[in-house]
Amino acid sequence: MSNSVRFFLNGQIHEANVRPDTTVLDWLRNVPRLTGTKEGCAEGDCGACSLLIGHVDGDQVKYHAANSCILAMGQIDGRALVTVEGLKTGELHPIQAAMAENGSSQCGFCTPGIVMSLAGLAASNPQADDEAIHDALAGNLCRCTGYRPIVEAARKVVAAGGAAIAGPHVAAFAEIEPQSMLSDGGAVFHQPASLNELLALRSEKPEAILLGGGTDLGVALADYHTDWNEVIALASVRELRQICETDNHLSFGAAVTWEEVLARVSAHYPSLATLIRRFGSTQIRSMGTIGGNIGTASPIGDGPPALIALGAEIELASLSGHRFLSLEDFFLDYRKTELRPNEVIASISIPKPKEGQAFRVYKISKRYDQDISTVCGAFSVFREEGQVRSARIAFGGMAATPIRAIEAEQALVGTALDRRAAESCAAAISARFQPLSDWRGSAEYRLQVAANLVERFRRDVAGETVEVMAL
Ligand SMILES: Cc1cc2nc3c(=O)[nH]c(=O)nc-3n(C[C@H](O)[C@H](O)[C@H](O)COP(=O)(O)OP(=O)(O)OC[C@H]3O[C@@H](n4cnc5c(N)ncnc54)[C@H](O)[C@@H]3O)c2cc1C
Ligand code: FES
Ligand code: FES
């Protein structure tokens, strides 16, 4: 057991004696007084607190942006942290130089976060196109003054081949291996390295908090100053970090991040990739995991409707063994799931696309980027000789759980997916669901949107849709 969190801070090994559930933002600003990292919203939305996290991936050190306001100190044990103060090594980092030359600065709160997001992009995607630049900035919400010059600064750095982060080499990470247990001030943070270790801990400590990327849990930590007295962190569990691909399936360990899922599904399901690119921001997708999105069991989570429509299977593991369920059977009621106290979500597997399959998922939210869904509708049909042989439809935002729309599916089977079939399908949705009214949308609005999505799907599949905005 160790009392100190050990990591690289701006290139130097650092040991911090701190409760592992202290937010990285609070620690940076209050202890080493690295106050270039700012606090804006303190809930992962604005990007003012962005910094870079480095970890070893094969023979490389990879960096990504993260929101330090919802990140716990325990989560950086064994990793490298780069703050805006550490970006400049002698000379300005190319992004800083380009921002200065272009007159690209926003206010003092926004600029450091924007610089860090773009530095993450310049390191991880030196061929970034405009879409990737906009994606990288989606988590830095401010658009007050100079957004265009900021984008131009990013284009300039990318055109010059990007910019690596000056930091420790892979071998140096051996000195800061993640520690299996951290403890300080009454808070304990376990970091199991294997599934067996995880399951043994889970069985011994069913009350401990299971922590994926902390993008849901971290909001409560920052907003309500909840204490995490005992945490089991999943980020170092080998099996949960694996992605397996067979001829017919793609399987993601529960601790695989959305950014990693995105990289793997793009070629198979472009519509799913579009959805994931709208999932939070780069900072959120780089930390938030597929297992956490399911584990949190939100009725408006974006992953479950798409995964249910694709026919995903979830693997639950405990010391007693593994069980496999259709994802729709995992959700029992509002925030209630099939997960037993001694179990963890181990993996999620989706079939690869088959000939004749058409899949689309649509997220309807008040804002295009970085927003929670009002309604999310996912549609998957198999057609043979022009007829729908089978259909799967699922929604978020229409009930207390993500839910499959069986009657609506039946309305499509045996049809040519024409306008009349879409109308019957929409009618089945209206008859089946009684969604809630809240500040995101009234029940009537949700029902109307869900019905409209059926027609949108029909037109998309028929090739009748005109793209009105660059997605
Ligand atoms: C600014 C912001 C934007 C967001 N945008 C979106 C969005 O667009 N769409 C969306 O759907 N969500 C969004 N989210 C919510 C969140 O990012 C996702 O739900 C994410 O996938 C959660 O994953 P995580 O690993 O961070 O979960 P965590 O916060 O670590 O955990 C969430 C819950 O799942 C449980 N859990 C985690 N892993 C496991 C496991 N393996 N087994 C069992 N239980 C587990 C935890 O105990 C906890 O109860 C957003 C959040 C923020 C802060
Ligand atoms: S302070 Fe707004 S994202 Fe962290
Ligand atoms: S709030 Fe900082 S420039 Fe907009």
Side-chain angles (χ1 to χ4, degrees):
M1 194 212 296
S2 165
N3 287 334
S4 43
V5 180
R6 198 175 54 194
F7 56 104
F8 285 106
L9 177 60
N10 293 332
Q12 305 297 319
I13 291 182
H14 195 93
E15 301 213 0
N17 291 318
V18 58
R19 265 183 72 108
D21 61 346
T22 307
T23 68
V24 172
L25 178 65
D26 281 348
W27 180 81
L28 281 173
R29 292 184 59 82
N30 294 322
V31 183
R33 311 287 297 168
L34 292 174
T35 52
T37 307
K38 304 298 184 194
E39 176 168 333
C41 65
E43 52 184 27
D45 266 315
C46 74
C49 65
S50 301
L51 40 65
L52 299 182
I53 299 183
H55 68 281
V56 175
D57 185 14
D59 57 358
Q60 296 175 47
V61 181
K62 287 199 173 156
Y63 288 91
H64 64 78
N67 300 118
S68 60
C69 64
I70 55 170
L71 186 68
M73 285 297 286
Q75 291 179 269
I76 58 166
D77 183 64
R79 276 125 188 127
L81 202 66
V82 182
T83 69
V84 71
E85 292 86 354
L87 209 53
K88 174 171 169 270
T89 46
E91 297 179 343
L92 289 178
H93 181 278
I95 284 289
Q96 292 173 311
M99 294 263 297
E101 284 155 18
N102 258 38
S104 320
S105 70
Q106 304 282 90
C107 77
F109 274 80
C110 303
T111 307
I114 289 172
V115 163
M116 295 314 286
S117 292
L118 291 180
L121 176 77
S124 61
N125 187 359
Q127 272 100 43
D129 56 10
D130 272 7
E131 191 182 31
I133 293 172
H134 289 294
D135 276 355
L137 288 170
N140 297 83
L141 273 195
C142 173
R143 299 288 182 267
C144 287
T145 54
Y147 187 66
R148 189 178 50 80
I150 291 170
V151 172
E152 281 167 2
R155 285 185 188 136
K156 199 167 170 180
V157 174
V158 168
I165 299 295
H169 296 296
V170 171
F173 277 76
E175 294 178 56
I176 59 151
E177 283 274 303
Q179 302 165 89
S180 60
M181 185 172 159
L182 302 164
S183 173
D184 194 292
V188 183
F189 195 92
H190 303 272
Q191 296 197 87
S194 70
L195 186 58
N196 279 344
E197 280 172 47
L198 167 65
L199 297 182
L201 267 171
R202 189 71 190 142
S203 139
E204 207 184 303
K205 300 171 189 302
E207 303 299 328
I209 292 171
L210 277 183
L211 180 68
T215 59
D216 271 313
L217 290 168
V219 175
L221 182 70
D223 264 3
Y224 314 119
H225 305 283
T226 44
D227 286 339
W228 291 351
N229 289 329
E230 186 135 47
V231 168
I232 305 176
L234 307 176
S236 300
V237 178
R238 278 187 303 277
E239 294 86 340
L240 265 51
R241 294 277 310 131
Q242 276 169 7
I243 301 177
C244 302
E245 186 162 355
T246 65
D247 287 347
N248 300 320
H249 284 87
L250 272 171
S251 168
F252 299 96
V256 170
T257 66
W258 280 110
E259 205 59 14
E260 292 162 336
V261 174
L262 174 61
R264 287 306 269 264
V265 299
S266 297
H268 301 292
Y269 293 112
S271 175
L272 179 58
T274 302
L275 174 81
I276 300 175
R277 273 202 296 276
R278 293 182 58 199
F279 190 114
S281 57
T282 307
Q283 290 92 322
I284 294 294
R285 292 192 298 273
S286 300
M287 293 301 300
T289 64
I290 188 168
N293 195 230
I294 293 169
T296 202
S298 163
I300 46 173
D302 287 324
L307 297 169
I308 290 173
L310 286 173
E313 192 176 64
I314 182 169
E315 178 189 7
L316 306 178
S318 72
L319 282 184
S320 326
H322 295 239
R323 56 192 184 118
F324 296 84
L325 305 176
S326 293
L327 184 55
E328 61 263 34
D329 297 334
F330 179 71
F331 302 106
L332 301 179
D333 203 342
Y334 181 69
R335 304 267 185 187
K336 286 209 179 106
T337 70
E338 261 288 335
L339 195 74
R340 296 174 186 150
N342 64 343
E343 278 182 327
V344 302
I345 302 169
S347 72
I348 297 93
S349 148
I350 54 173
K352 285 187 179 169
K354 295 191 186 76
E355 208 181 320
Q357 181 178 5
F359 171 78
R360 297 286 190 287
V361 53
Y362 307 107
K363 170 171 176 167
I364 306 300
S365 53
K366 285 185 180 280
R367 194 170 57 204
Y368 186 77
D369 279 319
Q370 177 81 313
D371 202 1
I372 306 282
S373 289
T374 307
V375 173
C376 182
F379 303 81
S380 177
V381 295
F382 286 98
R383 286 177 304 165
E384 255 174 11
E385 294 163 5
Q387 280 220 327
V388 176
R389 297 289 174 208
S390 66
R392 291 179 68 92
I393 300 176
F395 286 103
M398 295 291 286
T401 63
I403 194 159
R404 204 172 148 191
I406 307 268
E407 297 83 352
E409 295 170 358
Q410 285 162 353
L412 293 186
V413 175
T415 73
L417 196 56
D418 51 15
R419 189 180 282 260
R420 190 181 230 173
E423 281 168 6
S424 312
C425 178
I429 291 169
S430 302
R432 164 74 176 79
F433 293 110
Q434 288 113 31
L436 280 178
S437 290
D438 62 14
W439 61 268
R440 281 198 186 89
S442 63
E444 295 74 30
Y445 173 79
R446 288 189 152 102
L447 284 170
Q448 184 67 59
V449 162
N452 292 353
L453 289 180
V454 181
E455 174 60 10
R456 183 167 169 194
F457 175 63
R458 184 195 72 74
R459 291 189 191 190
D460 267 355
V461 173
E464 292 172 17
T465 318
V466 179
E467 212 62 78
V468 286
M469 64 185 286
L471 300 183

